[in-house]
Amino acid sequence: MEDTYRHKGLRRLLVEEIRKKGIIDERVLEAVGSVPRHAFMDSGFINFSYKDAAFPISAGQTISQPYTVAFQTQLLNVKPHEKILEIGTGSGYQAAVLAELGARVYTVERQRELFVSSQQLLGQLGYKIHFHYGDGYAGLPAYAPFDKILVTAGATEIPPALLQQLKQGGRMVIPVGNSEQQEMILVEKISETETKTSQHGGFVFVPFLKGKN
Ligand code: SAH
């Protein structure tokens, strides 16, 4: 799909909009400014690609709001070459933003249809990302430990397997709550037995569901 001057212009406006909303990490803003979000949208919503809102994608899921993607990414404090596990590939947009930051991205999706389509799209766009079809509750033990873990679906608890797969000194960002609303939680793993958690405001995500579909 073409990335035109018009797309680039709309993206610059989007970046300024999320900057005004409080995203201050220049590298994150640059990453949002680089990823062609219109390539990740369902055709019915393509004209809204650079609106700061979530939109439906296939399998009854959503592509996250750019502000939310930027907020989670900023909180994760991604450094180049870090190994990052994302739970909930969805459209693949968030995975692309992480890849733009120079991270090594592993992403898991439970909807087969989305796993297939996002793997194909990100390959076409030239992103080197590891795609996995499975239940994110279990994480990816074969590739653990991870420097950072990012959950992009609304959880009711912090899955113990994910905490286990986080490196000492690592960070996990996960929205935790009920089906209506979640609180953005940052978990810092201080040692094998100690964690520090902090709360970072209310968000709404599609549910983190158990099992594969
Ligand atoms: N990061 C995505 C957001 C997609 S919405 C993006 O940028 O577009 C959240 C995704 O989490 C959905 O695609 C949903 O199917 C997926 N999901 C929910 N529960 C899951 C689980 N247990 N394992 C893996 N993915 C899950």
PDB file of all heavy atoms in Angstrom, residues 61-89:
ATOM      1  N   GLN A  61     -12.315  -7.723  16.929  1.00  0.00           N
ATOM      2  CA  GLN A  61     -11.285  -7.090  17.754  1.00  0.00           C
ATOM      3  C   GLN A  61     -11.116  -5.631  17.340  1.00  0.00           C
ATOM      4  O   GLN A  61     -11.861  -5.129  16.513  1.00  0.00           O
ATOM      5  CB  GLN A  61      -9.982  -7.880  17.646  1.00  0.00           C
ATOM      6  CG  GLN A  61     -10.145  -9.355  17.995  1.00  0.00           C
ATOM      7  CD  GLN A  61     -10.728  -9.580  19.382  1.00  0.00           C
ATOM      8  OE1 GLN A  61     -10.303  -8.956  20.354  1.00  0.00           O
ATOM      9  NE2 GLN A  61     -11.735 -10.443  19.482  1.00  0.00           N
ATOM     10  N   THR A  62     -10.133  -4.953  17.929  1.00  0.00           N
ATOM     11  CA  THR A  62      -9.927  -3.545  17.586  1.00  0.00           C
ATOM     12  C   THR A  62      -8.445  -3.257  17.378  1.00  0.00           C
ATOM     13  O   THR A  62      -7.581  -3.936  17.940  1.00  0.00           O
ATOM     14  CB  THR A  62     -10.433  -2.590  18.703  1.00  0.00           C
ATOM     15  OG1 THR A  62      -9.762  -2.935  19.918  1.00  0.00           O
ATOM     16  CG2 THR A  62     -11.921  -2.672  18.899  1.00  0.00           C
ATOM     17  N   ILE A  63      -8.187  -2.226  16.569  1.00  0.00           N
ATOM     18  CA  ILE A  63      -6.847  -1.646  16.503  1.00  0.00           C
ATOM     19  C   ILE A  63      -6.853  -0.554  17.573  1.00  0.00           C
ATOM     20  O   ILE A  63      -7.766   0.270  17.622  1.00  0.00           O
ATOM     21  CB  ILE A  63      -6.512  -1.099  15.090  1.00  0.00           C
ATOM     22  CG1 ILE A  63      -5.134  -0.413  15.075  1.00  0.00           C
ATOM     23  CG2 ILE A  63      -7.587  -0.167  14.529  1.00  0.00           C
ATOM     24  CD1 ILE A  63      -4.626  -0.053  13.664  1.00  0.00           C
ATOM     25  N   SER A  64      -5.870  -0.579  18.469  1.00  0.00           N
ATOM     26  CA  SER A  64      -5.856   0.356  19.602  1.00  0.00           C
ATOM     27  C   SER A  64      -5.751   1.796  19.118  1.00  0.00           C
ATOM     28  O   SER A  64      -5.247   2.085  18.033  1.00  0.00           O
ATOM     29  CB  SER A  64      -4.674   0.057  20.522  1.00  0.00           C
ATOM     30  OG  SER A  64      -4.778  -1.224  21.089  1.00  0.00           O
ATOM     31  N   GLN A  65      -6.207   2.701  19.994  1.00  0.00           N
ATOM     32  CA  GLN A  65      -6.080   4.140  19.744  1.00  0.00           C
ATOM     33  C   GLN A  65      -4.592   4.510  19.747  1.00  0.00           C
ATOM     34  O   GLN A  65      -3.841   4.052  20.626  1.00  0.00           O
ATOM     35  CB  GLN A  65      -6.811   4.854  20.891  1.00  0.00           C
ATOM     36  CG  GLN A  65      -6.825   6.345  20.774  1.00  0.00           C
ATOM     37  CD  GLN A  65      -7.533   6.993  21.965  1.00  0.00           C
ATOM     38  OE1 GLN A  65      -8.254   6.327  22.719  1.00  0.00           O
ATOM     39  NE2 GLN A  65      -7.325   8.282  22.119  1.00  0.00           N
ATOM     40  N   PRO A  66      -4.131   5.334  18.801  1.00  0.00           N
ATOM     41  CA  PRO A  66      -2.712   5.710  18.762  1.00  0.00           C
ATOM     42  C   PRO A  66      -2.198   6.277  20.095  1.00  0.00           C
ATOM     43  O   PRO A  66      -1.081   5.950  20.515  1.00  0.00           O
ATOM     44  CB  PRO A  66      -2.652   6.754  17.645  1.00  0.00           C
ATOM     45  CG  PRO A  66      -3.751   6.339  16.718  1.00  0.00           C
ATOM     46  CD  PRO A  66      -4.853   5.839  17.605  1.00  0.00           C
ATOM     47  N   TYR A  67      -3.012   7.100  20.772  1.00  0.00           N
ATOM     48  CA  TYR A  67      -2.579   7.636  22.065  1.00  0.00           C
ATOM     49  C   TYR A  67      -2.291   6.490  23.046  1.00  0.00           C
ATOM     50  O   TYR A  67      -1.299   6.510  23.776  1.00  0.00           O
ATOM     51  CB  TYR A  67      -3.640   8.578  22.656  1.00  0.00           C
ATOM     52  CG  TYR A  67      -3.325   8.955  24.090  1.00  0.00           C
ATOM     53  CD1 TYR A  67      -2.332   9.893  24.374  1.00  0.00           C
ATOM     54  CD2 TYR A  67      -3.983   8.331  25.156  1.00  0.00           C
ATOM     55  CE1 TYR A  67      -2.008  10.209  25.685  1.00  0.00           C
ATOM     56  CE2 TYR A  67      -3.661   8.638  26.464  1.00  0.00           C
ATOM     57  CZ  TYR A  67      -2.677   9.581  26.725  1.00  0.00           C
ATOM     58  OH  TYR A  67      -2.351   9.881  28.024  1.00  0.00           O
ATOM     59  N   THR A  68      -3.157   5.489  23.049  1.00  0.00           N
ATOM     60  CA  THR A  68      -2.997   4.349  23.963  1.00  0.00           C
ATOM     61  C   THR A  68      -1.735   3.555  23.616  1.00  0.00           C
ATOM     62  O   THR A  68      -0.970   3.162  24.502  1.00  0.00           O
ATOM     63  CB  THR A  68      -4.242   3.439  23.902  1.00  0.00           C
ATOM     64  OG1 THR A  68      -5.383   4.229  24.215  1.00  0.00           O
ATOM     65  CG2 THR A  68      -4.146   2.276  24.866  1.00  0.00           C
ATOM     66  N   VAL A  69      -1.517   3.336  22.328  1.00  0.00           N
ATOM     67  CA  VAL A  69      -0.312   2.630  21.867  1.00  0.00           C
ATOM     68  C   VAL A  69       0.936   3.407  22.331  1.00  0.00           C
ATOM     69  O   VAL A  69       1.879   2.832  22.891  1.00  0.00           O
ATOM     70  CB  VAL A  69      -0.322   2.481  20.322  1.00  0.00           C
ATOM     71  CG1 VAL A  69       1.025   1.994  19.801  1.00  0.00           C
ATOM     72  CG2 VAL A  69      -1.442   1.539  19.900  1.00  0.00           C
ATOM     73  N   ALA A  70       0.905   4.721  22.127  1.00  0.00           N
ATOM     74  CA  ALA A  70       2.049   5.558  22.505  1.00  0.00           C
ATOM     75  C   ALA A  70       2.228   5.562  24.020  1.00  0.00           C
ATOM     76  O   ALA A  70       3.353   5.489  24.527  1.00  0.00           O
ATOM     77  CB  ALA A  70       1.849   6.980  21.982  1.00  0.00           C
ATOM     78  N   PHE A  71       1.117   5.624  24.754  1.00  0.00           N
ATOM     79  CA  PHE A  71       1.171   5.658  26.222  1.00  0.00           C
ATOM     80  C   PHE A  71       1.794   4.376  26.775  1.00  0.00           C
ATOM     81  O   PHE A  71       2.684   4.412  27.615  1.00  0.00           O
ATOM     82  CB  PHE A  71      -0.243   5.857  26.785  1.00  0.00           C
ATOM     83  CG  PHE A  71      -0.266   6.074  28.267  1.00  0.00           C
ATOM     84  CD1 PHE A  71      -0.134   7.349  28.797  1.00  0.00           C
ATOM     85  CD2 PHE A  71      -0.401   5.005  29.142  1.00  0.00           C
ATOM     86  CE1 PHE A  71      -0.140   7.551  30.177  1.00  0.00           C
ATOM     87  CE2 PHE A  71      -0.406   5.188  30.521  1.00  0.00           C
ATOM     88  CZ  PHE A  71      -0.276   6.471  31.041  1.00  0.00           C
ATOM     89  N   GLN A  72       1.324   3.235  26.269  1.00  0.00           N
ATOM     90  CA  GLN A  72       1.858   1.951  26.741  1.00  0.00           C
ATOM     91  C   GLN A  72       3.331   1.819  26.375  1.00  0.00           C
ATOM     92  O   GLN A  72       4.139   1.323  27.161  1.00  0.00           O
ATOM     93  CB  GLN A  72       1.067   0.787  26.134  1.00  0.00           C
ATOM     94  CG  GLN A  72      -0.326   0.620  26.732  1.00  0.00           C
ATOM     95  CD  GLN A  72      -0.914  -0.756  26.398  1.00  0.00           C
ATOM     96  OE1 GLN A  72      -1.297  -1.008  25.262  1.00  0.00           O
ATOM     97  NE2 GLN A  72      -0.994  -1.627  27.375  1.00  0.00           N
ATOM     98  N   THR A  73       3.671   2.266  25.163  1.00  0.00           N
ATOM     99  CA  THR A  73       5.050   2.145  24.688  1.00  0.00           C
ATOM    100  C   THR A  73       5.972   3.025  25.529  1.00  0.00           C
ATOM    101  O   THR A  73       7.066   2.610  25.919  1.00  0.00           O
ATOM    102  CB  THR A  73       5.134   2.530  23.203  1.00  0.00           C
ATOM    103  OG1 THR A  73       4.151   1.791  22.479  1.00  0.00           O
ATOM    104  CG2 THR A  73       6.504   2.241  22.624  1.00  0.00           C
ATOM    105  N   GLN A  74       5.504   4.239  25.830  1.00  0.00           N
ATOM    106  CA  GLN A  74       6.291   5.172  26.643  1.00  0.00           C
ATOM    107  C   GLN A  74       6.527   4.592  28.038  1.00  0.00           C
ATOM    108  O   GLN A  74       7.636   4.637  28.560  1.00  0.00           O
ATOM    109  CB  GLN A  74       5.537   6.503  26.718  1.00  0.00           C
ATOM    110  CG  GLN A  74       6.191   7.572  27.557  1.00  0.00           C
ATOM    111  CD  GLN A  74       5.502   8.922  27.383  1.00  0.00           C
ATOM    112  OE1 GLN A  74       5.814   9.685  26.478  1.00  0.00           O
ATOM    113  NE2 GLN A  74       4.554   9.215  28.250  1.00  0.00           N
ATOM    114  N   LEU A  75       5.476   4.024  28.614  1.00  0.00           N
ATOM    115  CA  LEU A  75       5.568   3.443  29.960  1.00  0.00           C
ATOM    116  C   LEU A  75       6.519   2.235  29.989  1.00  0.00           C
ATOM    117  O   LEU A  75       7.189   1.963  30.978  1.00  0.00           O
ATOM    118  CB  LEU A  75       4.156   3.026  30.393  1.00  0.00           C
ATOM    119  CG  LEU A  75       3.855   2.835  31.869  1.00  0.00           C
ATOM    120  CD1 LEU A  75       4.282   4.052  32.685  1.00  0.00           C
ATOM    121  CD2 LEU A  75       2.361   2.567  32.049  1.00  0.00           C
ATOM    122  N   LEU A  76       6.586   1.529  28.877  1.00  0.00           N
ATOM    123  CA  LEU A  76       7.434   0.340  28.778  1.00  0.00           C
ATOM    124  C   LEU A  76       8.919   0.713  28.725  1.00  0.00           C
ATOM    125  O   LEU A  76       9.780  -0.067  29.075  1.00  0.00           O
ATOM    126  CB  LEU A  76       7.031  -0.442  27.528  1.00  0.00           C
ATOM    127  CG  LEU A  76       7.267  -1.944  27.501  1.00  0.00           C
ATOM    128  CD1 LEU A  76       6.538  -2.642  28.630  1.00  0.00           C
ATOM    129  CD2 LEU A  76       6.817  -2.519  26.153  1.00  0.00           C
ATOM    130  N   ASN A  77       9.198   1.968  28.278  1.00  0.00           N
ATOM    131  CA  ASN A  77      10.565   2.490  28.205  1.00  0.00           C
ATOM    132  C   ASN A  77      11.474   1.573  27.368  1.00  0.00           C
ATOM    133  O   ASN A  77      12.466   1.045  27.859  1.00  0.00           O
ATOM    134  CB  ASN A  77      11.112   2.674  29.631  1.00  0.00           C
ATOM    135  CG  ASN A  77      12.377   3.494  29.671  1.00  0.00           C
ATOM    136  OD1 ASN A  77      12.685   4.216  28.711  1.00  0.00           O
ATOM    137  ND2 ASN A  77      13.128   3.378  30.745  1.00  0.00           N
ATOM    138  N   VAL A  78      11.111   1.427  26.109  1.00  0.00           N
ATOM    139  CA  VAL A  78      11.787   0.500  25.196  1.00  0.00           C
ATOM    140  C   VAL A  78      13.151   1.018  24.747  1.00  0.00           C
ATOM    141  O   VAL A  78      13.275   2.175  24.336  1.00  0.00           O
ATOM    142  CB  VAL A  78      10.904   0.281  23.933  1.00  0.00           C
ATOM    143  CG1 VAL A  78      11.576  -0.675  22.970  1.00  0.00           C
ATOM    144  CG2 VAL A  78       9.514  -0.205  24.323  1.00  0.00           C
ATOM    145  N   LYS A  79      14.151   0.150  24.849  1.00  0.00           N
ATOM    146  CA  LYS A  79      15.502   0.504  24.364  1.00  0.00           C
ATOM    147  C   LYS A  79      15.820  -0.374  23.145  1.00  0.00           C
ATOM    148  O   LYS A  79      15.323  -1.503  23.054  1.00  0.00           O
ATOM    149  CB  LYS A  79      16.539   0.220  25.455  1.00  0.00           C
ATOM    150  CG  LYS A  79      16.201   0.809  26.810  1.00  0.00           C
ATOM    151  CD  LYS A  79      16.886   2.154  27.001  1.00  0.00           C
ATOM    152  CE  LYS A  79      16.343   2.894  28.197  1.00  0.00           C
ATOM    153  NZ  LYS A  79      16.446   2.147  29.464  1.00  0.00           N
ATOM    154  N   PRO A  80      16.671   0.124  22.234  1.00  0.00           N
ATOM    155  CA  PRO A  80      17.025  -0.686  21.076  1.00  0.00           C
ATOM    156  C   PRO A  80      17.582  -2.054  21.496  1.00  0.00           C
ATOM    157  O   PRO A  80      18.266  -2.142  22.516  1.00  0.00           O
ATOM    158  CB  PRO A  80      18.104   0.141  20.373  1.00  0.00           C
ATOM    159  CG  PRO A  80      17.872   1.539  20.835  1.00  0.00           C
ATOM    160  CD  PRO A  80      17.312   1.439  22.224  1.00  0.00           C
ATOM    161  N   HIS A  81      17.270  -3.061  20.716  1.00  0.00           N
ATOM    162  CA  HIS A  81      17.738  -4.448  20.894  1.00  0.00           C
ATOM    163  C   HIS A  81      17.075  -5.208  22.045  1.00  0.00           C
ATOM    164  O   HIS A  81      17.366  -6.375  22.256  1.00  0.00           O
ATOM    165  CB  HIS A  81      19.270  -4.528  21.040  1.00  0.00           C
ATOM    166  CG  HIS A  81      19.981  -3.745  19.985  1.00  0.00           C
ATOM    167  ND1 HIS A  81      19.864  -4.045  18.646  1.00  0.00           N
ATOM    168  CD2 HIS A  81      20.766  -2.648  20.068  1.00  0.00           C
ATOM    169  CE1 HIS A  81      20.563  -3.159  17.950  1.00  0.00           C
ATOM    170  NE2 HIS A  81      21.117  -2.307  18.782  1.00  0.00           N
ATOM    171  N   GLU A  82      16.209  -4.552  22.808  1.00  0.00           N
ATOM    172  CA  GLU A  82      15.539  -5.289  23.877  1.00  0.00           C
ATOM    173  C   GLU A  82      14.598  -6.327  23.288  1.00  0.00           C
ATOM    174  O   GLU A  82      14.039  -6.136  22.206  1.00  0.00           O
ATOM    175  CB  GLU A  82      14.741  -4.330  24.769  1.00  0.00           C
ATOM    176  CG  GLU A  82      15.619  -3.660  25.792  1.00  0.00           C
ATOM    177  CD  GLU A  82      14.850  -2.757  26.726  1.00  0.00           C
ATOM    178  OE1 GLU A  82      13.735  -2.308  26.385  1.00  0.00           O
ATOM    179  OE2 GLU A  82      15.379  -2.476  27.804  1.00  0.00           O
ATOM    180  N   LYS A  83      14.444  -7.412  24.043  1.00  0.00           N
ATOM    181  CA  LYS A  83      13.543  -8.490  23.621  1.00  0.00           C
ATOM    182  C   LYS A  83      12.191  -8.243  24.289  1.00  0.00           C
ATOM    183  O   LYS A  83      12.099  -8.228  25.519  1.00  0.00           O
ATOM    184  CB  LYS A  83      14.150  -9.823  24.073  1.00  0.00           C
ATOM    185  CG  LYS A  83      13.535 -11.018  23.419  1.00  0.00           C
ATOM    186  CD  LYS A  83      14.492 -12.184  23.539  1.00  0.00           C
ATOM    187  CE  LYS A  83      13.965 -13.201  24.481  1.00  0.00           C
ATOM    188  NZ  LYS A  83      14.892 -14.280  24.780  1.00  0.00           N
ATOM    189  N   ILE A  84      11.179  -8.043  23.451  1.00  0.00           N
ATOM    190  CA  ILE A  84       9.870  -7.660  23.985  1.00  0.00           C
ATOM    191  C   ILE A  84       8.803  -8.668  23.588  1.00  0.00           C
ATOM    192  O   ILE A  84       8.724  -9.084  22.427  1.00  0.00           O
ATOM    193  CB  ILE A  84       9.476  -6.267  23.462  1.00  0.00           C
ATOM    194  CG1 ILE A  84      10.562  -5.277  23.893  1.00  0.00           C
ATOM    195  CG2 ILE A  84       8.099  -5.849  23.965  1.00  0.00           C
ATOM    196  CD1 ILE A  84      10.214  -3.842  23.753  1.00  0.00           C
ATOM    197  N   LEU A  85       7.978  -9.033  24.559  1.00  0.00           N
ATOM    198  CA  LEU A  85       6.840  -9.907  24.293  1.00  0.00           C
ATOM    199  C   LEU A  85       5.575  -9.058  24.307  1.00  0.00           C
ATOM    200  O   LEU A  85       5.294  -8.367  25.289  1.00  0.00           O
ATOM    201  CB  LEU A  85       6.754 -10.988  25.384  1.00  0.00           C
ATOM    202  CG  LEU A  85       5.520 -11.895  25.349  1.00  0.00           C
ATOM    203  CD1 LEU A  85       5.450 -12.709  24.058  1.00  0.00           C
ATOM    204  CD2 LEU A  85       5.513 -12.836  26.560  1.00  0.00           C
ATOM    205  N   GLU A  86       4.839  -9.113  23.183  1.00  0.00           N
ATOM    206  CA  GLU A  86       3.538  -8.436  23.132  1.00  0.00           C
ATOM    207  C   GLU A  86       2.445  -9.498  23.142  1.00  0.00           C
ATOM    208  O   GLU A  86       2.508 -10.449  22.360  1.00  0.00           O
ATOM    209  CB  GLU A  86       3.391  -7.597  21.855  1.00  0.00           C
ATOM    210  CG  GLU A  86       2.040  -6.906  21.815  1.00  0.00           C
ATOM    211  CD  GLU A  86       1.563  -6.441  20.438  1.00  0.00           C
ATOM    212  OE1 GLU A  86       2.068  -6.964  19.424  1.00  0.00           O
ATOM    213  OE2 GLU A  86       0.681  -5.586  20.379  1.00  0.00           O
ATOM    214  N   ILE A  87       1.441  -9.322  23.998  1.00  0.00           N
ATOM    215  CA  ILE A  87       0.305 -10.230  23.997  1.00  0.00           C
ATOM    216  C   ILE A  87      -0.865  -9.514  23.338  1.00  0.00           C
ATOM    217  O   ILE A  87      -1.283  -8.434  23.792  1.00  0.00           O
ATOM    218  CB  ILE A  87      -0.086 -10.657  25.437  1.00  0.00           C
ATOM    219  CG1 ILE A  87       1.117 -11.216  26.208  1.00  0.00           C
ATOM    220  CG2 ILE A  87      -1.244 -11.646  25.396  1.00  0.00           C
ATOM    221  CD1 ILE A  87       1.722 -12.477  25.651  1.00  0.00           C
ATOM    222  N   GLY A  88      -1.401 -10.112  22.265  1.00  0.00           N
ATOM    223  CA  GLY A  88      -2.527  -9.499  21.543  1.00  0.00           C
ATOM    224  C   GLY A  88      -2.049  -8.757  20.305  1.00  0.00           C
ATOM    225  O   GLY A  88      -2.063  -7.536  20.245  1.00  0.00           O
ATOM    226  N   THR A  89      -1.607  -9.512  19.297  1.00  0.00           N
ATOM    227  CA  THR A  89      -1.074  -8.913  18.061  1.00  0.00           C
ATOM    228  C   THR A  89      -2.110  -8.031  17.381  1.00  0.00           C
ATOM    229  O   THR A  89      -1.789  -6.946  16.891  1.00  0.00           O
ATOM    230  CB  THR A  89      -0.657 -10.021  17.061  1.00  0.00           C
ATOM    231  OG1 THR A  89       0.111 -11.003  17.736  1.00  0.00           O
ATOM    232  CG2 THR A  89       0.103  -9.446  15.879  1.00  0.00           C
TER     233      THR A  89
END
